[in-house]
Amino acid sequence: MEHNTIRLLRQILDRELVLHRELLAMARLRHILLCQGRIDDLRALYPAEARKVAELRHLEEMRGTLAPQIHDRVAPPDLAEATRRIGALIRRIGAVERASWALLARHAVRVASADRGLAVWTPV
């Protein structure tokens, strides 16, 4: 039973790593789009990002259910390494998100043309 649980945990952690990498890439892209003022392109990112976050939450829930079934003496070191790598990715995503929020705090979106739905970045 523990062998199957460990294999499933590895699969979950591998998928979580992939999702975190993809979310980091999306966060970086979002920051670039913010810098360029490309609001419509930003909106296009949200559905894909929401799907990835939902999948990630589901995987985290599964991992939380399985992890207590593994005893520390039996868990392979690669599981702990994957967890550390996920933590590092989360910190990197957080840094990009903070930079994006700082950019948002310095700019505002104003309507340049209401009939065409055109938005323009302006410094605050």
Side-chain angles (χ1 to χ4, degrees), residues 19-64:
L19 287 169
H20 280 294
R21 284 187 192 114
E22 290 172 356
L23 287 169
L24 176 59
M26 292 177 95
R28 288 176 174 157
L29 177 59
R30 184 174 43 254
H31 185 76
I32 290 167
L33 294 173
L34 280 170
C35 288
Q36 297 172 351
R38 295 169 48 193
I39 307 303
D40 287 336
D41 292 333
L42 280 172
R43 275 185 249 152
L45 280 179
Y46 288 124
E49 187 176 28
R51 284 190 300 273
K52 291 180 188 316
V53 169
E55 182 182 354
L56 191 57
R57 286 182 180 154
H58 176 71
L59 290 170
E60 289 170 344
E61 184 179 312
M62 288 175 54
R63 183 168 42 96

Side-chain angles (χ1 to χ4, degrees), residues 57-89:
R57 286 182 180 154
H58 176 71
L59 290 170
E60 289 170 344
E61 184 179 312
M62 288 175 54
R63 183 168 42 96
T65 302
L66 292 173
Q69 298 176 21
I70 304 287
H71 300 293
D72 288 336
R73 60 181 171 72
V74 180
D78 63 327
L79 295 180
E81 176 60 26
T83 303
R84 281 191 290 278
R85 288 174 37 204
I86 288 171
L89 283 167

